[in-house]
């Protein structure tokens, strides 16, 4: 790599000074605390499990183990490497949404209120706690500023463990389609999901929460660009129009943002790189999950499989780095952090169930509208609770972004009206 580019990367990884030239509250103690070093350290930890596992899978396939294998481990190896062909009698059909006899208008309204309230409470609480954990300090006193929680990977593990438990209990209590996908295929979505979550948490050390939310909302732009360049996909005029409005709105917000008060981190190159990483990894996760749904699994089975490997990856990496016990000690020192981490995990896990139920009852369009409104409310809450400054022009930019998103939902709904829509399973881990 050219020396100039290396200098840019190192500069980007350094902590930004606060608004108005203020010094950061908790600068890294050494170069090992720089975000890009921790990122590559995490990736190396995941690779120490994934690369040998992948080589073992390829070896078993070349040796035709499915035909020659025997012994106690054969069922486990078969499920992990080759999968199971579902039988017609074992399949649970994913039926389209149907109106039952007791689905009166008032009952439908109550269900919609229940779904919207569950999604808003789960993910608004999740957003507020996410910013509190990653930007606030714990144990502060009159003589001590307290300490910040630095290990985003430990927080990812907390989220995934509870999500794994919830998905597992749901699969036990409710009948699911016979599982046919090779288990190892979940590992690719798990890896990208863990990395996208890590980038999301880490970015809050460098950018404000409103900036992060708008970056998520503008994800449609790189998705369209990749579709045009890689898949030669064509888009309609309204898609280009709304993508242009989103880019204009985001630019208005970023270029007109006021100074960040107190300890809120200002937008830096590091934050933009991490947000770009989040978008890239999250896009891969969604596309890989779409391919896995060809095995006719349910969304909760997908949730279980992805979180199972996510737990294995993060536990292994934390043990290799010696960070698992340090995270547990931090929880022991600060009961407030332990409560925040637990609530964060509960909101993430149960929010996923609300996603599945809402889409199953009302469809993807209603769900998208609810979540778009949630993003707008999350920005307002963050500004009120944490004192982020948004100028009039920045506020107009936010309004332009969410207006464009709602226009996309409306245009897509009109396009699909009158067409037979095949029910599909929603991707998971979209928070």
């Amino acid at each position: 790599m050219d020396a100039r580019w290396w200098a840019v990367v190192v500069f980007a990884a350094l902590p930004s000074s606060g608004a108005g030239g203020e010094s950061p509250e908790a600068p890294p103690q050494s170069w090992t605390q720089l975000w890009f070093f921790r990122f590559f350290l995490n990736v190396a930890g995941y690779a120490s499990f994934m690369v040998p596992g992948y080589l073992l899978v390829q070896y078993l396939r070349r040796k035709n183990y499915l035909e020659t294998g025997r012994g106690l481990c054969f069922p486990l190896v078969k499920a992990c490497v080759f999968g199971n062909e579902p039988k017609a009698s074992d399949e649970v059909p994913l039926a389209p949404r149907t109106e039952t006899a007791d689905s009166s208008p008032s009952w439908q309204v109550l269900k919609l209120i229940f779904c919207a309230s569950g999604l808003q409470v789960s993910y608004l609480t999740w957003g507020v706690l996410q910013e509190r954990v990653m930007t606030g300090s714990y144990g502060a006193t009159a003589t001590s500023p307290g300490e910040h929680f630095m290990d985003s990977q430990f927080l990812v593990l907390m989220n995934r463990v509870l999500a794994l438990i919830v998905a597992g209990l749901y699969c036990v209590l409710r009948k699911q389609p016979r599982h046919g996908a090779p288990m190892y295929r979940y590992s690719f979505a798990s890896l990208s999901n863990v990395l996208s979550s890590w980038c999301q948490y880490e970015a809050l050390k460098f950018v404000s929460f409103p900036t992060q939310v708008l970056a998520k909302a503008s994800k449609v732009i790189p998705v369209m660009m990749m579709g045009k360049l890689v898949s030669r996909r064509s888009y309609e005029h309204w898609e280009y129009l709304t993508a242009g409005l989103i880019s204009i709105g985001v630019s208005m917000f970023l270029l007109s943002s006021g100074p960040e008060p107190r300890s809120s981190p200002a937008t830096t190159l590091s934050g933009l790189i991490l947000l770009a990483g989040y978008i890239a990894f999250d896009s891969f996760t969604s596309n890989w999950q779409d391919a896995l749904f060809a095995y006719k699994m349910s969304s909760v089975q997908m949730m279980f499989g992805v979180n199972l490997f996510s737990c294995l990856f993060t536990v292994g990496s934390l043990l290799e780095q010696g960070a698992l016990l340090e995270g547990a000690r931090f929880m022991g020192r600060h009961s407030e952090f332990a409560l925040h981490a637990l609530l964060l995990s509960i909101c993430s896990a149960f929010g996923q169930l609300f996603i599945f139920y809402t889409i199953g009852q009302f469809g993807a369009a209603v769900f998208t509208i609810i979540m778009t409104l949630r993003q707008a409310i999350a920005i307002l809450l963050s500004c009120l609770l944490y004192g982020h400054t948004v100028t009039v022009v920045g506020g107009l930019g936010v309004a332009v972004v969410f207006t464009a998103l709602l226009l996309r939902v409306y245009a897509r709904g009109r396009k699909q009206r009158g067409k037979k829509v095949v029910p599909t399973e929603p991707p998971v881990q979209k928070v």
Side-chain angles (χ1 to χ4, degrees), residues 95-425:
R97 292 180 294 118
T98 56
E99 299 264 340
T100 57
D102 60 346
S103 293
S104 61
S106 58
W107 179 242
Q108 288 294 98
V109 170
L110 288 176
K111 285 199 295 186
L112 180 59
I113 293 174
F114 171 73
C115 292
S117 300
L119 287 168
Q120 298 291 351
V121 171
S122 296
Y123 286 118
L124 287 176
T125 305
W126 179 85
V128 170
L129 288 174
Q130 181 191 32
E131 185 168 12
R132 169 65 181 90
V133 169
M134 297 309 300
T135 63
S137 62
Y138 291 93
T141 62
T143 58
S144 172
E147 56 180 331
H148 289 261
F149 181 73
M150 301 300 296
D151 196 345
S152 300
Q153 187 176 209
F154 184 83
L155 209 55
V156 173
L157 173 63
M158 290 282 294
N159 290 177
R160 299 301 176 260
V161 167
L162 189 58
L164 177 67
I165 294 173
V166 170
L169 290 175
Y170 191 95
C171 288
V172 170
L173 297 176
R174 298 290 298 271
K175 186 176 181 181
Q176 303 292 318
R178 186 171 187 267
H179 190 268
M183 290 297 296
Y184 83 92
R185 291 181 63 84
Y186 289 108
S187 63
F188 300 99
S190 296
L191 178 62
S192 59
N193 177 252
V194 167
L195 291 174
S196 68
S197 297
W198 185 89
C199 289
Q200 180 178 228
Y201 284 126
E202 200 73 12
L204 282 177
K205 299 177 182 178
F206 301 95
V207 300
S208 67
F209 184 76
T211 302
Q212 186 194 76
V213 172
L214 284 185
K216 294 180 185 180
S218 62
K219 188 171 61 175
V220 63
I221 299 173
V223 169
M224 287 181 62
M225 292 175 61
M226 292 299 293
K228 189 73 173 178
L229 295 175
V230 178
S231 304
R232 305 297 181 185
R233 187 174 300 166
S234 60
Y235 297 96
E236 298 189 17
H237 296 301
W238 61 266
E239 293 178 288
Y240 287 110
L241 174 63
T242 53
L245 288 175
I246 290 172
S247 62
I248 292 173
V250 172
S251 299
M252 290 172 62
F253 176 82
L254 294 179
L255 296 177
S256 64
S257 295
E260 295 287 335
R262 301 189 301 277
S263 60
S264 297
T267 301
T268 64
L269 182 58
S270 287
L272 297 179
I273 293 174
L274 288 166
L275 287 176
Y278 161 76
I279 291 174
F281 290 125
D282 187 65
S283 299
F284 177 86
T285 303
S286 299
N287 284 282
W288 192 268
Q289 288 173 338
D290 287 341
L292 281 179
F293 276 124
Y295 287 96
K296 307 299 182 185
M297 69 184 69
S298 70
S299 292
V300 181
Q301 287 175 320
M302 174 74 76
M303 182 178 174
F304 180 85
V306 170
N307 283 296
L308 174 63
F309 279 94
S310 297
C311 290
L312 294 176
F313 286 151
T314 49
V315 167
S317 179
L318 287 168
L319 287 174
E320 289 178 349
Q321 299 176 34
L324 185 62
L325 289 179
E326 178 55 37
R329 293 191 190 102
F330 191 95
M331 293 182 68
R333 291 195 301 271
H334 306 290
S335 58
E336 184 184 11
F337 168 77
L339 177 61
H340 288 167
L342 178 61
L343 289 176
L344 195 69
S345 301
I346 291 174
C347 291
S348 177
F350 283 92
Q352 287 296 314
L353 298 182
F354 273 109
I355 288 176
F356 304 148
Y357 183 74
T358 302
I359 294 179
Q361 292 293 318
F362 300 101
V366 173
F367 165 74
T368 304
I369 292 173
I370 294 173
M371 294 303 279
T372 300
L373 294 176
R374 188 269 302 181
Q375 289 177 316
I377 297 173
I379 290 178
L380 178 61
L381 271 180
S382 179
C383 293
L384 292 176
L385 295 177
Y386 299 107
H388 299 298
T389 302
V390 178
T391 63
V392 174
V393 176
L396 289 175
V398 174
V400 169
V401 169
F402 289 108
T403 300
L405 291 174
L406 292 175
L407 283 175
R408 288 182 68 86
V409 176
Y410 173 74
R412 187 176 292 113
R414 289 199 61 180
K415 179 181 177 182
Q416 294 178 349
R417 189 173 300 163
K419 295 182 179 180
K420 183 179 180 180
V421 181
V422 178
T424 57
E425 289 292 316

